[in-house]
Amino acid sequence: MRARLLGACSAIAVSAMLLTGTASAETPPNQLVVGMNMANLTSLDPHNMNSYETHHILSNVYDTLVRTDPKDPKALLPQAAESWEASEDGTITFHLRDDIEFHSGNTLTAEDVAFSLQRAVKLNLLGAAYFKEWGYTAENVDEKFRAVDDTTFVMDPIKPIAPNLKLYVLARAVGAILDREVVAEHEVDGDMARGWMATNSAGSGPFQLARWNANDIVLLERFDDYWEGEPTMRRVIVRHIPESQTQRLQLEQGDLDVGIQLSSADLDGLAAGDNVTVEKIPGAGYYYFIMSTKDPDLAKPEVRRALIYCIDYEGIDKGVMQNYGLLADNFVPQGVPGAIEPLGHTLDVERCKQGLADAGYPNGLRKSLRVLTSPPYAEIATAVQATMAQAGVTLDILPGNGEQTYGPQRNRQFEMGIGRSSSAVHADPDGWLRTHVYNPDNDDDAGFSNLLGWRSALFLPEVNRLMDEGATMTDDAKRMPLYQEAQRLYEEAGPSVVPVSQRVDPYAISNRVKNYVGNPTWMVRWNVVEKE
């Protein structure tokens, strides 16, 4: 009932604000108004999402066992778990706070943690892939994820995995702790509330979901009883504003507090003014070009190797990515342990044409390229289309929303695409590589849909073996050569996923807003944000 009342009151308040928002006016001092393109926000179920937009919402609606320090993503900090310890066999024991309440008023216990992680595996949606990589299955999670008492949760290992690799994943939205009683109330035919959770919430975070209208608005209301203290903002309003220039205009007028996904030109314009600060957060991921090896032409390594040289990485870096990325040509950045020498990916149209001719395509080929409509994806796609054309490769760009762009990738029914990735593990080569090149099971029904290697259907057993062995070790002197060898083998095989630019996440923030801190893992918290 409380949630329904909140929703009704909030709808009135927001409607009033939006109606009056046509004139220039500062946003209310106790409300944070964020603008973003919500085309990729397709579900609010923590176990069926991995998008940038959704992480921003869910990190404020749910708690996780641990979190990463936004200013030092290598550092793991307590959240629902006050402390934890890992034993030599890989068992991790978490000791929970006893003062956390869900939005429903129920107390968060270790049973909720066990239920949440079991649900992630049993539903076999996007979030399941992380756990499946560690050997967990629907048949063993009831035994391996267990509540010892109300405040003690134990995660037993299936196979040796460095505990920190698991902890970094649990710090992201897939590790959200759900109110199992609320979920049970909305279960239909044993679906663990899959349908209901797509548009509702059952969390304990600093804000509770009051309303979501797809491609329109997300409204979050302050949770007054939040265990870390009452959030400063009474309300957070996230508005769907796909046009960059509209976000810029509203930021300049004071109708918007934070803008996300503006074009580089608009970010530069805002940065040159006095009212908005542009903060750029280097992220653990890439803007990438992906090719499906299920396509008969792209299944040929020589074709994929040729196409690498039909992309103008430097031109895209200078012309499109000034605020969105860093020039890159490998999935482990320089400076991260396990990085190898630069691979030398560069635009070389003649080399691309010759490679295609040698592969039997002297007249080029024609493929579709799926891409989101928002900056900078569309600009990257246009640039790739232009340089591919110089080598006789015709790309039919298929712009769309998140479901239209990433859905075919997750179902392995696409030819080419442009996308953006995110790794849970910022300081270790395992996380960077696993997201992009790892594919432990190439069956269409394997469901490793969060792994780009699986999406592209490129199966390299030796690369998998090296990474699996590296993940079991804690001695970096022995681990790093394994990851370096995996990178070289992947390159020799003809990459199906090619980094175009290392991800940078820019936020345009009104100078009236204080304590807005971006997070490389996208788990941005709004409960400490203040406004002058």
Short mmCIF file of all heavy atoms in Angstrom, two decimals, residues 286 329-340 428-433 436 483-484 487 499 502:
data_model
loop_
_atom_site.label_atom_id
_atom_site.label_comp_id
_atom_site.label_asym_id
_atom_site.label_seq_id
_atom_site.Cartn_x
_atom_site.Cartn_y
_atom_site.Cartn_z
N TYR A 286 34.93 -1.47 -23.10
CA TYR A 286 35.28 -0.95 -24.43
C TYR A 286 34.04 -0.65 -25.26
O TYR A 286 32.98 -1.27 -25.07
CB TYR A 286 36.12 -1.99 -25.19
CG TYR A 286 37.52 -2.11 -24.66
CD1 TYR A 286 37.81 -3.01 -23.66
CD2 TYR A 286 38.53 -1.30 -25.15
CE1 TYR A 286 39.10 -3.10 -23.15
CE2 TYR A 286 39.82 -1.39 -24.65
CZ TYR A 286 40.10 -2.29 -23.65
OH TYR A 286 41.37 -2.38 -23.14
N ASP A 329 43.86 -0.96 -28.68
CA ASP A 329 43.79 -2.03 -29.66
C ASP A 329 43.93 -3.40 -29.03
O ASP A 329 44.18 -4.37 -29.71
CB ASP A 329 44.82 -1.83 -30.78
CG ASP A 329 46.25 -2.15 -30.37
OD1 ASP A 329 46.50 -2.32 -29.16
OD2 ASP A 329 47.12 -2.23 -31.25
N ASN A 330 43.77 -3.48 -27.71
CA ASN A 330 43.77 -4.78 -27.06
C ASN A 330 42.86 -4.71 -25.85
O ASN A 330 42.56 -3.64 -25.33
CB ASN A 330 45.20 -5.17 -26.62
CG ASN A 330 45.29 -6.64 -26.26
OD1 ASN A 330 44.36 -7.41 -26.51
ND2 ASN A 330 46.39 -7.04 -25.66
N PHE A 331 42.40 -5.86 -25.37
CA PHE A 331 41.40 -5.87 -24.31
C PHE A 331 41.98 -5.73 -22.91
O PHE A 331 41.22 -5.57 -21.95
CB PHE A 331 40.54 -7.14 -24.40
CG PHE A 331 39.56 -7.09 -25.53
CD1 PHE A 331 39.55 -8.05 -26.51
CD2 PHE A 331 38.64 -6.06 -25.61
CE1 PHE A 331 38.64 -8.01 -27.55
CE2 PHE A 331 37.71 -6.00 -26.64
CZ PHE A 331 37.72 -6.98 -27.62
N VAL A 332 43.29 -5.83 -22.75
CA VAL A 332 43.91 -5.53 -21.46
C VAL A 332 44.71 -4.24 -21.64
O VAL A 332 45.72 -4.23 -22.34
CB VAL A 332 44.83 -6.67 -20.98
CG1 VAL A 332 45.46 -6.30 -19.63
CG2 VAL A 332 44.05 -7.97 -20.85
N PRO A 333 44.27 -3.14 -21.05
CA PRO A 333 44.94 -1.86 -21.29
C PRO A 333 46.36 -1.84 -20.77
O PRO A 333 46.70 -2.54 -19.80
CB PRO A 333 44.07 -0.85 -20.51
CG PRO A 333 42.85 -1.57 -20.14
CD PRO A 333 43.15 -3.02 -20.12
N GLN A 334 47.18 -1.02 -21.39
CA GLN A 334 48.52 -0.82 -20.88
C GLN A 334 48.42 -0.27 -19.45
O GLN A 334 47.60 0.58 -19.15
CB GLN A 334 49.28 0.18 -21.77
CG GLN A 334 49.44 -0.29 -23.21
CD GLN A 334 50.23 -1.59 -23.33
OE1 GLN A 334 51.27 -1.76 -22.69
NE2 GLN A 334 49.73 -2.54 -24.13
N GLY A 335 49.25 -0.79 -18.57
CA GLY A 335 49.21 -0.38 -17.17
C GLY A 335 48.50 -1.37 -16.27
O GLY A 335 48.72 -1.39 -15.07
N VAL A 336 47.64 -2.21 -16.86
CA VAL A 336 46.99 -3.27 -16.09
C VAL A 336 47.88 -4.51 -16.15
O VAL A 336 48.40 -4.85 -17.23
CB VAL A 336 45.59 -3.59 -16.66
CG1 VAL A 336 44.98 -4.81 -15.98
CG2 VAL A 336 44.66 -2.38 -16.50
N PRO A 337 48.11 -5.19 -15.03
CA PRO A 337 48.95 -6.39 -15.08
C PRO A 337 48.44 -7.37 -16.14
O PRO A 337 47.25 -7.56 -16.30
CB PRO A 337 48.78 -6.98 -13.66
CG PRO A 337 48.44 -5.80 -12.82
CD PRO A 337 47.62 -4.89 -13.68
N GLY A 338 49.39 -7.96 -16.86
CA GLY A 338 49.00 -8.93 -17.88
C GLY A 338 48.85 -8.33 -19.27
O GLY A 338 48.57 -9.06 -20.22
N ALA A 339 49.03 -7.00 -19.41
CA ALA A 339 48.93 -6.39 -20.74
C ALA A 339 50.10 -6.86 -21.61
O ALA A 339 51.19 -7.15 -21.11
CB ALA A 339 48.94 -4.87 -20.61
N ILE A 340 49.86 -6.93 -22.91
CA ILE A 340 50.93 -7.28 -23.85
C ILE A 340 51.23 -6.07 -24.74
O ILE A 340 50.59 -5.02 -24.61
CB ILE A 340 50.55 -8.50 -24.72
CG1 ILE A 340 49.30 -8.19 -25.57
CG2 ILE A 340 50.34 -9.72 -23.85
CD1 ILE A 340 48.96 -9.28 -26.57
N ASP A 428 42.40 -6.52 -12.87
CA ASP A 428 42.95 -7.85 -13.14
C ASP A 428 42.65 -8.20 -14.60
O ASP A 428 41.55 -7.94 -15.09
CB ASP A 428 42.30 -8.87 -12.21
CG ASP A 428 43.02 -10.20 -12.22
OD1 ASP A 428 42.85 -10.96 -13.21
OD2 ASP A 428 43.75 -10.48 -11.25
N PRO A 429 43.61 -8.80 -15.31
CA PRO A 429 43.36 -9.13 -16.73
C PRO A 429 42.22 -10.12 -16.91
O PRO A 429 41.61 -10.17 -17.99
CB PRO A 429 44.70 -9.72 -17.19
CG PRO A 429 45.36 -10.21 -15.95
CD PRO A 429 44.94 -9.26 -14.87
N ASP A 430 41.93 -10.91 -15.90
CA ASP A 430 40.87 -11.91 -16.04
C ASP A 430 39.54 -11.26 -16.41
O ASP A 430 38.84 -11.68 -17.33
CB ASP A 430 40.72 -12.72 -14.75
CG ASP A 430 39.77 -13.88 -14.93
OD1 ASP A 430 38.55 -13.67 -14.84
OD2 ASP A 430 40.25 -15.01 -15.19
N GLY A 431 39.20 -10.19 -15.67
CA GLY A 431 37.93 -9.54 -15.93
C GLY A 431 37.87 -8.91 -17.31
O GLY A 431 36.87 -9.02 -18.03
N TRP A 432 38.94 -8.24 -17.71
CA TRP A 432 38.97 -7.59 -19.02
C TRP A 432 38.84 -8.61 -20.14
O TRP A 432 38.12 -8.40 -21.11
CB TRP A 432 40.29 -6.82 -19.19
CG TRP A 432 40.43 -5.63 -18.30
CD1 TRP A 432 40.94 -5.61 -17.03
CD2 TRP A 432 40.07 -4.27 -18.60
NE1 TRP A 432 40.92 -4.33 -16.53
CE2 TRP A 432 40.40 -3.49 -17.47
CE3 TRP A 432 39.51 -3.65 -19.71
CZ2 TRP A 432 40.17 -2.12 -17.42
CZ3 TRP A 432 39.30 -2.29 -19.67
CH2 TRP A 432 39.63 -1.53 -18.54
N LEU A 433 39.56 -9.72 -20.02
CA LEU A 433 39.54 -10.73 -21.08
C LEU A 433 38.27 -11.57 -21.07
O LEU A 433 37.70 -11.89 -22.10
CB LEU A 433 40.75 -11.65 -20.95
CG LEU A 433 42.08 -11.10 -21.45
CD1 LEU A 433 43.17 -12.13 -21.26
CD2 LEU A 433 41.98 -10.72 -22.92
N HIS A 436 35.30 -10.38 -23.02
CA HIS A 436 35.39 -10.19 -24.46
C HIS A 436 35.78 -11.43 -25.26
O HIS A 436 35.37 -11.57 -26.41
CB HIS A 436 36.41 -9.08 -24.76
CG HIS A 436 36.06 -7.77 -24.11
ND1 HIS A 436 36.60 -7.37 -22.90
CD2 HIS A 436 35.20 -6.80 -24.47
CE1 HIS A 436 36.10 -6.19 -22.57
NE2 HIS A 436 35.25 -5.82 -23.49
N TYR A 483 47.58 -15.25 -19.11
CA TYR A 483 46.68 -14.29 -19.74
C TYR A 483 47.34 -13.64 -20.98
O TYR A 483 46.67 -13.34 -21.97
CB TYR A 483 46.26 -13.22 -18.74
CG TYR A 483 45.35 -13.75 -17.66
CD1 TYR A 483 45.80 -13.91 -16.35
CD2 TYR A 483 44.04 -14.12 -17.95
CE1 TYR A 483 44.98 -14.41 -15.36
CE2 TYR A 483 43.21 -14.64 -16.96
CZ TYR A 483 43.68 -14.77 -15.67
OH TYR A 483 42.86 -15.29 -14.70
N GLN A 484 48.65 -13.44 -20.91
CA GLN A 484 49.34 -12.87 -22.07
C GLN A 484 49.31 -13.83 -23.25
O GLN A 484 49.10 -13.42 -24.40
CB GLN A 484 50.78 -12.51 -21.68
CG GLN A 484 50.84 -11.34 -20.71
CD GLN A 484 52.20 -11.13 -20.10
OE1 GLN A 484 52.98 -12.08 -19.97
NE2 GLN A 484 52.50 -9.90 -19.71
N GLN A 487 45.90 -13.80 -24.90
CA GLN A 487 45.70 -12.65 -25.80
C GLN A 487 46.33 -12.89 -27.16
O GLN A 487 45.76 -12.57 -28.20
CB GLN A 487 46.27 -11.39 -25.16
CG GLN A 487 45.53 -10.93 -23.91
CD GLN A 487 46.29 -9.85 -23.17
OE1 GLN A 487 46.42 -8.74 -23.65
NE2 GLN A 487 46.82 -10.19 -21.99
N PRO A 499 38.37 -4.29 -30.07
CA PRO A 499 38.20 -3.03 -29.33
C PRO A 499 38.39 -1.84 -30.26
O PRO A 499 39.35 -1.79 -31.03
CB PRO A 499 39.30 -3.10 -28.27
CG PRO A 499 40.34 -4.01 -28.85
CD PRO A 499 39.60 -5.00 -29.70
N GLN A 502 38.75 2.34 -25.56
CA GLN A 502 38.49 2.03 -24.15
C GLN A 502 37.46 3.01 -23.62
O GLN A 502 37.55 4.22 -23.82
CB GLN A 502 39.77 2.13 -23.32
CG GLN A 502 39.55 1.71 -21.87
CD GLN A 502 40.78 1.88 -21.00
OE1 GLN A 502 41.89 1.99 -21.51
NE2 GLN A 502 40.60 1.91 -19.69
#
